Amino acid sequence: MTRTVNLPGGTALPLIGFGTWQLRAKSAYESVRTALEIGYRHVDTATLYQNEADVGRAVKDSGVDREQVFVTTKLRPQDARHARRALESSLRLLDTGYVDLWLIHWPTGRDELVSTWQELLSARDAGLVRNAGVSNYSPALIDLVTEATGERPAVNQIPWSPAQHDPALLEEHRRRGVVVEGYSGLKNTDLRSPVLTEIAQRHGVTPAQVVLRWHLEHDIVILPRSSRRERIAANFDLEGFGLTKEDVTAIDALTRTG
Ligand SMILES: NC(=O)c1ccc[n+]([C@@H]2O[C@H](COP(=O)([O-])OP(=O)(O)OC[C@H]3O[C@@H](n4cnc5c(N)ncnc54)[C@H](OP(=O)(O)O)[C@@H]3O)[C@@H](O)[C@H]2O)c1
């Protein structure tokens, strides 16, 4: 069981999700099957990734109960004017009945920000998606859509890694009750950094596991992506060790030192 965080509607969001960007067709299907077999219960896709059908088929074929898997997809901003149609296409491809979280992949032009957010809320009210959120939004944009509709995004999916660690930004999200999902945490990290390799050696794990565990210490949802079974497994195996307070502080400081 992975740890979860509760979204405003009461849904439990597993802190470890499986990322699927750049995984196409067979590779997306097989990687998601492997992830679900290993124990992941959260899968992150997007219309842009062109793998919704493969992801959905993997969820179905996995034999894991649909209700047990948290599925996220994302609306491309260029589809904002036809948001409901884009969602219906995602649902057809995924064939999962509903999605657990629908995100605006990145901000639209300013004049469409509020109307697009309203589209996401109305899809949620219609029961097509269980939660609505955003991605690549600043706190100011989150405030703009929240003030216009009285409803805040459940989640903001943004880049996060030791080099990009920003406690003030994290606090801005906490204050607003918006869950932070961090993406590209491995890709944007030098896994040969002496700080990470020393900590990894001491705990008998890999630097990638240290980086992912560090996100969890900050209650940031992670979405590691891999097409290799051993890495998919290692990226999920984060509870068998703990980081000390000093470890976390040293990794936080990579923002300044690289
Ligand atoms: N909302 C957005 O705008 C946005 C943008 C980017 C990403 N995302 C989401 O976030 C997910 C994660 O981000 P990402 O795919 O950019 O990058 P990532 O998961 O940080 O890194 C993926 C890369 O790291 C390698 N890797 C995975 N596990 C590893 C390990 N244990 N040790 C060493 N290398 C490892 C993978 O290679 P192998 O496959 O060879 O293992 C792959 O090249 C995406 O898949 C997507 O779902 C969202």
Side-chain angles (χ1 to χ4, degrees):
M1 268 307 272
T2 38
R3 277 194 284 149
T4 59
V5 58
N6 275 338
L7 296 181
T11 326
L13 166 65
L15 288 186
I16 306 179
F18 185 69
T20 67
W21 183 45
Q22 291 183 329
L23 298 179
R24 290 278 176 86
K26 192 161 175 268
S27 157
Y29 176 81
E30 286 174 358
S31 304
V32 173
R33 281 294 302 269
T34 303
L36 291 169
E37 199 183 304
I38 283 165
Y40 289 73
R41 291 294 179 266
H42 168 187
V43 183
D44 183 86
T45 181
T47 296
L48 181 81
Y49 304 167
Q50 295 179 33
N51 60 16
E52 287 171 309
D54 310 288
V55 168
R57 200 159 50 82
V59 170
K60 228 177 318 147
D61 293 354
S62 71
V64 180
D65 187 7
R66 165 70 188 96
E67 289 287 326
Q68 300 301 313
V69 187
F70 189 102
V71 178
T72 299
T73 195
K74 312 185 191 84
L75 173 73
R76 298 182 308 178
Q78 63 262 45
D79 294 333
R81 291 206 176 140
H82 320 284
R84 185 58 73 90
R85 208 191 307 153
L87 176 61
E88 282 162 0
S89 160
S90 287
L91 288 171
R92 221 172 12 253
L93 291 165
L94 282 163
D95 198 19
T96 48
Y98 61 91
V99 289
D100 296 274
L101 178 63
W102 194 31
L103 304 177
I104 306 171
H105 208 146
W106 61 92
T108 58
R110 208 155 178 96
D111 52 331
E112 284 178 339
L113 282 169
V114 172
S115 57
T116 307
W117 180 233
Q118 280 164 334
E119 284 289 338
L120 268 83
L121 294 176
S122 98
R124 185 205 55 194
D125 293 344
L128 300 173
V129 311
R130 297 226 160 139
N131 299 277
V134 297
S135 178
N136 299 305
Y137 272 48
S138 63
L141 287 185
I142 289 175
D143 286 345
L144 191 148
V145 296
T146 305
E147 279 156 25
T149 60
E151 292 221 53
R152 67 179 189 272
V155 160
N156 190 17
Q157 189 177 112
I158 49 180
W160 211 276
S161 65
Q164 297 160 306
H165 185 54
D166 183 346
L169 184 57
L170 210 49
E171 185 49 35
E172 294 274 353
H173 286 85
R174 298 265 144 84
R175 240 170 6 93
R176 291 165 173 79
V178 177
V179 172
V180 173
E181 293 189 347
Y183 69 71
S184 303
L186 296 174
K187 204 174 61 188
N188 289 331
T189 298
D190 175 7
L191 296 174
R192 291 159 310 170
S193 135
V195 170
L196 296 174
T197 51
E198 186 279 320
I199 295 171
Q201 266 166 18
R202 191 155 30 80
H203 292 288
V205 295
T206 66
Q209 287 174 304
V210 168
V211 170
L212 295 171
R213 176 73 203 211
W214 168 83
H215 285 76
L216 298 185
E217 298 291 338
H218 285 297
D219 293 322
I220 297 168
V221 176
I222 50 173
L223 306 164
R225 181 240 324 166
S226 178
S227 49
R228 305 193 206 182
R229 188 183 184 92
E230 70 281 8
R231 285 180 173 177
I232 297 173
N235 295 345
F236 189 72
D237 184 15
L238 304 175
E239 294 296 338
F241 70 105
L243 298 176
T244 65
K245 221 166 141 253
E246 292 73 26
D247 293 339
V248 172
T249 306
I251 301 167
D252 289 353
L254 290 174
T255 310
R256 293 181 292 278
T257 59

